[in-house]
Amino acid sequence: MSEKSTQEQSLEDLYAEAQEHTINVGDVKIHAKRMGGKFRNLKWASNFLWLIFFIGPYLRLGDRQAVLFDIPARQFHIFGITLLPQDLWMLSFLLLFFAILLAVVTALAGRVWCGYFCFQTVWTDVFTWIEDKLEGTPAKRRKLEKSPWNAAKIIVRAKKYTLWFLIALLTGISFTAWFTDAYQLWVDIFTLNASSTVYTTLLLFVVGTVFLAGFLREQTCFWLCPYARIQAVMIDDTSIVPSYDVSRGETRGRLVKGKPTSDDQGDCVDCNQCVAVCPTGVDIRGGQQEGCIMCGLCIDACDSVMEKINKPIGLIKYASWDGIMGKKEKPLLKRPRVWVYTTILVIALSGVITGLTSMEPLELKVLHARQPLFVVQSDGTIQNRYTLKVLNKMNKDINVSISVDKANDFQGLIIKGAEKEVTATHGTVTAVTIFVKVPRKNLTEKSQDIIFHIEGTDALGTVYQSDRNSVFIGPKR
Ligand code: SF4
Ligand code: SF4
């Protein structure tokens, strides 16, 4: 993805261009200049990570989607693991993990999430790339914006909006595809057989994506995003963020051909290229600001200017404020907040790992009938009714036998309803009603513990089993 470099423009051209680029105060749309550079490449690489969002739903594992958040069935299938509502406590640990990870990254390196990974930034970057390809440089785009509607403008705008609409539609379909069979979804949408929920979701995504990424774009990061407001408390003078080297750059001043520079002139030649490429219209030379999403594009721009005027690169660079001011920087491991964050991260991650490793593929739940608690049979035996719920979290069906654990000390116990093996369907709960009968004379207590046991063997010979305690209730003794 090669984009134009300032190397191809003369310094005079850059000065002329600089007039057009203003600092963002929210009154005009920012038309950032696009150019190549290592941070630009990094941004493209991080944009491509979002392909997982588009491709992910089409991956299959066995007869099912590899990752499927099946809300109607209240089951989440993630690469062969089935999570049910009772497993969702792990989600709180996972959310805690990502929240703290975001805080750690922000404390150490500022808003890199915003600059490289946030969907708002990524979609805006793609939308403005399309705009740049169709409408040209920022100067041409501004001109087109002000020009009256004519055939040429209608055609170019129609092309742009069509591409934006298609990306927004694909975004909506991709989002929905994580919650239903992805292949069937396409068929249902285009044969008009999808549910109203699907069409509403698509409508919201199309409108939201085009509005936020196409029209509102950088103003979202600048004025609307709450994360921009809270980052201030996470960043300190040791955070490594894009910074302008004031001592080296000031006093800034333009280079004029044939005119000597003054003695106090710094390396900043006031070309405004750092502002021109900034997607949020920030002038980084004014210090760290809420609007800076820390994408590093101003570093690329300034480096290319420095190369042009034969000065060392790095007038704008990733550095801490302490570093810029020449102070000794505190080592990472001596910062208390690093230890606090790391401890929370480890706790959250341990919670998720413990949850995943302790999950049983086959689970048994037992519900004892309440109405009536027991029935006295004509032959003098006491009968209790139970509903056994066999939860098969695997992605294959399995036949299970039901028994009462041998540890139970019931003489003459009979189970009815469990003579044959039961097929526990994969990824769902299979309910079975059984009756347990015990001769009255063999009951020693009004309520005695009883342990139910299920066991099944798959085609590979792996044995799966689960136990669950319940009670057997009889009349008062
Ligand atoms: S100031 Fe630099 S790092 Fe910050 S948003 Fe603008 S281009 Fe990106
Ligand atoms: S900081 Fe660099 S890019 Fe920005 S005006 Fe100065 S020389 Fe130009």
Side-chain angles (χ1 to χ4, degrees):
M1 299 278 171
S2 95
E3 283 153 1
K4 258 186 249 159
S5 156
T6 49
Q7 294 292 3
E8 297 160 31
Q9 294 172 283
S10 71
L11 206 53
E12 287 70 32
D13 288 344
L14 296 182
Y15 284 141
E17 191 186 73
Q19 316 299 333
E20 304 165 7
H21 293 279
T22 49
I23 297 169
N24 185 10
V25 286
D27 55 343
V28 287
K29 187 181 275 181
I30 298 297
H31 286 290
K33 178 179 174 179
R34 297 181 77 94
M35 58 180 288
K38 60 176 185 264
F39 289 102
R40 177 71 260 176
N41 292 341
L42 196 60
K43 205 161 158 57
W44 274 121
S46 57
N47 285 1
F48 277 112
L49 281 181
W50 272 95
L51 284 178
I52 296 168
F53 168 75
F54 291 100
I55 297 168
Y58 304 97
L59 302 177
R60 312 288 294 188
L61 199 67
D63 62 344
R64 188 196 282 137
Q65 209 159 301
V67 180
L68 177 66
F69 303 110
D70 190 349
I71 305 268
R74 295 192 203 146
Q75 295 170 6
F76 301 136
H77 306 282
I78 304 168
F79 292 105
I81 299 173
T82 298
L83 297 176
L84 297 158
Q86 60 263 44
D87 300 316
L88 289 189
W89 58 270
M90 277 184 270
L91 190 64
S92 31
F93 276 108
L94 202 63
L95 292 177
L96 177 67
F97 176 79
F98 283 117
I100 298 299
L101 188 65
L102 191 62
V104 174
V105 172
T106 307
L108 298 180
R111 292 171 69 184
V112 280
W113 159 258
C114 302
Y116 295 96
F117 303 105
C118 173
F119 37 83
Q120 171 64 31
T121 316
V122 172
W123 265 249
T124 299
D125 199 41
V126 174
F127 275 39
T128 50
W129 177 75
I130 291 171
E131 190 174 78
D132 187 78
K133 292 292 161 215
L134 291 172
E135 297 181 359
T137 61
K140 287 183 183 162
R141 278 183 258 160
R142 281 191 201 95
K143 202 171 157 200
L144 185 73
E145 210 164 63
K146 288 182 194 142
S147 72
W149 284 95
N150 53 30
K153 184 168 174 174
I154 291 172
I155 290 170
V156 80
R157 284 285 160 99
K159 282 185 196 166
K160 182 174 84 172
Y161 294 146
T162 305
L163 287 173
W164 284 4
F165 167 79
L166 290 175
I167 293 175
L169 182 63
L170 187 62
T171 304
I173 294 176
S174 303
F175 175 82
T176 316
W178 291 91
F179 297 90
T180 186
D181 186 280
Y183 294 95
Q184 187 60 39
L185 177 69
W186 282 90
V187 177
D188 290 347
I189 288 173
F190 291 104
T191 54
L192 300 181
N193 284 320
S195 67
S196 56
T197 313
V198 169
Y199 290 117
T200 309
T201 308
L202 295 187
L203 182 69
L204 288 175
F205 264 83
V206 169
V207 173
T209 309
V210 170
F211 180 65
L212 289 172
F215 293 104
L216 213 53
R217 42 214 201 185
E218 73 292 329
Q219 307 296 4
T220 312
C221 317
F222 209 114
W223 309 105
L224 296 184
C225 179
Y227 181 51
R229 305 289 171 279
I230 56 173
Q231 64 150 342
V233 294
M234 298 189 205
I235 292 178
D236 58 21
D237 290 349
T238 60
S239 306
I240 310 284
V241 294
S243 309
Y244 169 66
D245 190 342
V246 193
S247 56
R248 187 185 144 191
E250 301 297 317
T251 305
R252 70 185 78 155
R254 292 196 166 189
L255 290 183
V256 182
K257 244 185 198 166
K259 201 174 159 196
T261 53
S262 63
D263 288 345
D264 65 344
Q265 182 155 340
D267 282 353
C268 175
V269 294
D270 210 11
C271 63
N272 226 19
Q273 287 302 300
C274 46
V275 182
V277 298
C278 179
T280 57
V282 161
D283 186 347
I284 192 75
R285 292 172 299 170
Q288 254 317 306
Q289 294 148 67
E290 267 178 3
C292 174
I293 55 169
M294 297 178 190
C295 60
L297 296 182
C298 52
I299 302 179
D300 283 342
C302 191
D303 281 353
S304 72
V305 174
M306 290 298 114
E307 279 166 359
K308 185 185 280 297
I309 60 171
N310 294 319
K311 297 264 184 184
I313 61 167
L315 176 56
I316 303 176
K317 59 185 174 189
Y318 265 99
S320 68
W321 181 245
D322 280 353
I324 289 286
M325 298 314 284
K327 284 192 198 160
K328 195 164 176 278
E329 291 182 77
K330 218 176 187 179
L332 212 59
L333 295 180
K334 286 199 174 165
R335 298 181 202 169
R337 73 159 75 184
V338 171
W339 284 103
V340 173
Y341 286 148
T342 310
T343 308
I344 303 174
L345 273 181
V346 170
I347 292 171
L349 199 59
S350 311
V352 177
I353 292 171
T354 308
L356 287 176
T357 50
S358 62
M359 264 177 40
E360 291 177 27
L362 207 57
E363 267 184 29
L364 176 64
K365 288 214 173 341
V366 179
L367 304 177
H368 185 284
R370 296 275 155 220
Q371 292 289 343
L373 281 171
F374 63 88
V375 173
V376 182
Q377 303 275 284
S378 54
D379 60 0
T381 54
I382 308 298
Q383 178 178 283
N384 282 203
R385 181 163 58 91
Y386 301 88
T387 302
L388 269 57
K389 293 192 168 183
V390 183
L391 173 56
N392 179 0
K393 294 183 180 178
M394 296 179 279
N395 54 10
K396 58 192 173 195
D397 293 351
I398 189 164
N399 290 336
V400 293
S401 59
I402 299 171
S403 61
V404 167
D405 196 275
K406 292 188 177 58
N408 287 275
D409 192 19
F410 289 113
Q411 297 295 317
L413 180 143
I414 298 168
I415 306 181
K416 274 170 62 187
E419 296 79 9
K420 287 190 198 154
E421 288 192 329
V422 174
T423 302
T425 313
H426 66 282
T428 190
V429 174
T430 304
V432 192
T433 301
I434 65 158
F435 298 89
V436 176
K437 292 205 293 185
V438 178
R440 185 172 185 169
K441 62 181 168 47
N442 294 342
L443 290 176
T444 52
E445 307 280 341
K446 177 179 174 280
S447 170
Q448 283 180 246
D449 289 345
I450 182 167
I451 304 169
F452 288 95
H453 177 80
I454 54 167
E455 189 170 317
T457 308
D458 70 6
L460 300 172
T462 310
V463 177
Y464 298 94
Q465 49 189 326
S466 182
D467 291 339
R468 180 65 63 169
N469 286 21
S470 185
V471 285
F472 188 90
I473 297 175
K476 276 187 189 161
R477 299 208 52 83

